[in-house]
Amino acid sequence: MTISLTEKAASQLTKFLKDSNQGIRISVVDGGCSGYEYALNIANAPKEDDLLLYKENLQIFIDPKSAPLLEGVVVDYIEGLTESGLKFINPNATETCSCGKSFQAGGCTPTGVPCS
Protein backbone atom coordinates (compact mmCIF):
# COMPACT_ATOMS: atom_id res chain seq x y z
CA MET A 1 0.00 0.00 0.00
CA THR A 2 1.46 3.32 -1.08
CA ILE A 3 0.24 6.71 0.12
CA SER A 4 2.47 9.78 0.07
CA LEU A 5 2.33 12.99 2.08
CA THR A 6 3.94 16.17 0.86
CA GLU A 7 6.07 18.05 3.37
CA LYS A 8 3.32 20.67 3.79
CA ALA A 9 0.62 18.04 4.40
CA ALA A 10 2.77 16.18 6.94
CA SER A 11 3.55 19.42 8.76
CA GLN A 12 -0.10 20.47 8.96
CA LEU A 13 -1.28 17.04 10.12
CA THR A 14 1.46 16.90 12.77
CA LYS A 15 0.42 20.33 14.08
CA PHE A 16 -3.21 19.25 14.12
CA LEU A 17 -2.57 16.15 16.21
CA LYS A 18 -2.07 17.14 19.82
CA ASP A 19 -1.30 13.64 21.11
CA SER A 20 1.59 11.85 19.45
CA ASN A 21 -0.17 8.52 20.07
CA GLN A 22 -3.01 9.54 17.77
CA GLY A 23 -3.14 8.86 14.07
CA ILE A 24 -5.13 9.87 11.03
CA ARG A 25 -7.74 7.56 9.51
CA ILE A 26 -8.01 8.16 5.76
CA SER A 27 -10.94 6.50 4.05
CA VAL A 28 -13.21 6.65 1.05
CA VAL A 29 -16.96 6.78 1.58
CA ASP A 30 -19.95 6.79 -0.75
CA GLY A 31 -21.04 10.35 -1.35
CA GLY A 32 -20.28 13.60 -3.04
CA CYS A 33 -21.43 14.55 -6.49
CA SER A 34 -19.13 12.07 -8.25
CA GLY A 35 -19.81 9.01 -6.11
CA TYR A 36 -16.90 8.76 -3.66
CA GLU A 37 -15.48 11.29 -1.27
CA TYR A 38 -12.51 11.32 1.07
CA ALA A 39 -12.92 11.17 4.83
CA LEU A 40 -10.33 12.09 7.45
CA ASN A 41 -10.67 11.40 11.15
CA ILE A 42 -8.41 11.42 14.18
CA ALA A 43 -8.02 7.92 15.59
CA ASN A 44 -6.42 6.73 18.80
CA ALA A 45 -5.72 3.25 17.44
CA PRO A 46 -6.26 1.21 14.30
CA LYS A 47 -9.29 -1.03 13.96
CA GLU A 48 -8.66 -4.76 13.86
CA ASP A 49 -8.52 -5.04 10.06
CA ASP A 50 -6.92 -1.65 9.28
CA LEU A 51 -3.73 -1.26 7.33
CA LEU A 52 -1.21 0.72 9.37
CA LEU A 53 1.26 3.01 7.61
CA TYR A 54 3.92 5.30 9.03
CA LYS A 55 4.61 8.39 6.96
CA GLU A 56 6.61 11.40 8.10
CA ASN A 57 6.30 10.31 11.76
CA LEU A 58 2.52 10.03 11.45
CA GLN A 59 0.39 6.93 11.88
CA ILE A 60 -2.10 6.48 9.05
CA PHE A 61 -4.95 3.97 9.36
CA ILE A 62 -6.73 2.70 6.25
CA ASP A 63 -9.64 0.28 6.14
CA PRO A 64 -9.41 -2.61 3.65
CA LYS A 65 -12.41 -1.38 1.60
CA SER A 66 -10.78 2.02 1.01
CA ALA A 67 -7.26 0.70 0.33
CA PRO A 68 -7.67 -0.07 -3.41
CA LEU A 69 -9.16 3.39 -4.04
CA LEU A 70 -6.34 5.09 -2.09
CA GLU A 71 -3.43 3.18 -3.64
CA GLY A 72 -0.87 5.69 -4.93
CA VAL A 73 -2.64 8.76 -3.51
CA VAL A 74 -0.58 11.86 -2.75
CA VAL A 75 -1.92 14.04 0.06
CA ASP A 76 -0.93 17.69 -0.28
CA TYR A 77 -1.78 20.85 1.65
CA ILE A 78 -2.78 23.94 -0.30
CA GLU A 79 -3.19 27.52 0.86
CA GLY A 80 -5.02 30.11 -1.15
CA LEU A 81 -7.28 33.11 -0.93
CA THR A 82 -10.46 31.12 -1.45
CA GLU A 83 -9.50 27.67 -0.18
CA SER A 84 -6.99 26.07 2.15
CA GLY A 85 -6.73 22.48 3.26
CA LEU A 86 -5.72 18.98 2.33
CA LYS A 87 -5.89 18.02 -1.34
CA PHE A 88 -5.89 14.42 -2.60
CA ILE A 89 -4.15 13.62 -5.87
CA ASN A 90 -5.56 10.22 -6.76
CA PRO A 91 -4.26 8.21 -9.75
CA ASN A 92 -7.31 5.90 -9.43
CA ALA A 93 -9.79 8.71 -10.09
CA THR A 94 -11.24 8.53 -13.58
CA GLU A 95 -13.21 11.75 -13.00
CA THR A 96 -13.38 14.38 -10.28
CA CYS A 97 -16.10 16.81 -9.31
CA SER A 98 -15.65 20.49 -10.07
CA CYS A 99 -15.64 21.14 -6.30
CA GLY A 100 -12.63 18.81 -5.99
CA LYS A 101 -14.07 16.91 -3.03
CA SER A 102 -15.33 13.77 -4.74
CA PHE A 103 -14.30 11.39 -7.50
CA GLN A 104 -15.24 8.45 -9.66
CA ALA A 105 -13.07 5.35 -10.03
CA GLY A 106 -13.80 3.28 -13.10
CA GLY A 107 -16.86 1.05 -12.97
CA CYS A 108 -16.96 0.73 -9.18
CA THR A 109 -18.32 4.21 -8.40
CA PRO A 110 -21.70 4.47 -6.67
CA THR A 111 -24.29 6.98 -7.83
CA GLY A 112 -23.31 10.53 -6.95
CA VAL A 113 -25.38 13.23 -5.29
CA PRO A 114 -25.35 16.72 -6.84
CA CYS A 115 -23.33 19.42 -5.08
CA SER A 116 -25.41 21.80 -2.99
Side-chain angles (χ1 to χ4, degrees), residues 7 12-14 16 42 55 58 62 65 70 74 79 83-84 92 98 101 110:
E7 189 175 319
Q12 290 298 320
L13 287 169
T14 300
F16 188 74
I42 295 174
K55 300 287 181 182
L58 292 166
I62 301 171
K65 179 184 171 196
L70 293 171
V74 175
E79 292 182 88
E83 182 179 20
S84 296
N92 304 301
S98 61
K101 305 294 182 196

Side-chain angles (χ1 to χ4, degrees), residues 1 14 22 26 33 35 42 47 54 62 64 67 70 82 86 97 110:
M1 172 91 225
T14 300
Q22 294 177 316
I26 302 175
C33 47
I42 295 174
K47 293 181 181 176
Y54 292 95
I62 301 171
L70 293 171
T82 59
L86 293 173
C97 179

